[in-house]
Amino acid sequence: MTLDFSTAPLDSRAQLDYWREVVCTTFVEYEMDVPQHASTGFLGQVTAQTVGGVGVARVVSDPHTVFRSPSLIRRSSEDDLLVNLAVQGRVTVTQQGREALLQPGDFTVYDSALPCRIACLDPFELLVLKVPRSLFDAHCPLAQATMATQVPGDRGVGALIAPFLHSLTVHARGLAPDASARIATTLLELLATALSDRTAVGGQLKAPGAVHMGRARRYINDHIADPDLSPTVIAQALGISVRYLHAIFRAEDTTPSHWILRQRIHMAARLLADPGRAGRRVTDIAYAVGFKDASHFTRAFKSRYGVSPREYRRDHSAAPQGPVT
């Protein structure tokens, strides 16, 4: 289903508040800075749809800035990677001391779980992808150092991204579900190639550790429902030692076991929020993502999201308001 939101039909005094609601509902929760004159009228439009689990949106708007502060992140449940591709206007994306200045055709990736700032300096048009972390990591494993780095759209693999996304926003609504899933995978792997191409030094291939990290993440996501998934099982499947597996995860400031647990919790959160699974018991969802014990699942889930799985399902079951077109 395609959703269209626009401030144009509204009274000018209501446009800005409506825009805040649209942005936070369609993407993730943000705080917002707007020019002073925006209080007397603000024009913005979003067209959004989902392709294979990936949110795909076109945004056209007056200049403004959105940001996620540490306090907002602490009280938010979102855990997604977002891709911004500039179509018109200048856009800066700032995260972890890096700033990507996007000209038309350029794109960057940022992490909703870390403080960030997106400043749209002119009237602008953006193509935006919203990708659940587990899905992104399964097909496009990246180090944090790649966040908020500009990938130019006028050369290399980056030049393939803009035409792909433009075409997807136009034709996505006619895709069958199985085609959507394959296209989403292709898109994420194309993004991974473009980012690797951008960060490679002297055209060299990625370091072996990064390659094995990508393989490990994909294996985990493919076998997340297996309750016996462990570092030993993963290392054997990849043909590397358990010690080396721990070393490549340590380079990302985590461990294989912690990463498995995090993926299980994230996947459970998506299932709990899915209206199509409202009839499934919470315990069944826990088992479906590889937990052996319901009480362990509840403790781990509450540690991550601050609420129990049942409370999370209740809080995320409300349907979004209909579009204004």
Side-chain angles (χ1 to χ4, degrees), residues 123-148:
F124 69 92
E125 178 179 347
L126 279 179
L127 300 181
V128 182
L129 300 177
K130 178 186 175 183
V131 190
R133 184 181 301 276
S134 58
L135 183 60
F136 194 99
D137 285 343
H139 300 287
C140 188
L142 300 173
Q144 287 296 335
T146 62
M147 302 299 169

Side-chain angles (χ1 to χ4, degrees), residues 85-124:
L85 187 145
V87 177
Q88 179 181 342
R90 296 168 300 149
V91 179
T92 62
V93 178
T94 306
Q95 187 166 74
Q96 290 192 305
R98 294 181 294 276
E99 181 176 276
L101 173 61
L102 306 181
Q103 303 287 351
D106 301 340
F107 80 88
T108 194
V109 181
Y110 66 94
D111 189 336
S112 71
L114 297 171
C116 57
R117 187 176 187 88
I118 300 90
C120 302
L121 309 174
D122 313 300
F124 69 92

Side-chain angles (χ1 to χ4, degrees), residues 22-73:
V22 166
V23 168
C24 293
T25 301
T26 306
F27 304 109
V28 294
E29 190 174 357
Y30 296 103
E31 298 173 76
M32 189 176 293
D33 287 335
V34 295
Q36 188 171 4
H37 64 77
S39 60
T40 60
F42 187 91
L43 296 180
Q45 180 180 357
V46 171
T47 302
Q49 52 203 315
T50 301
V51 178
V54 176
V56 180
R58 174 178 175 265
V59 184
V60 180
S61 174
D62 285 343
H64 65 287
T65 297
V66 297
F67 60 96
R68 284 177 64 80
S69 64
S71 59
L72 175 62
I73 291 169

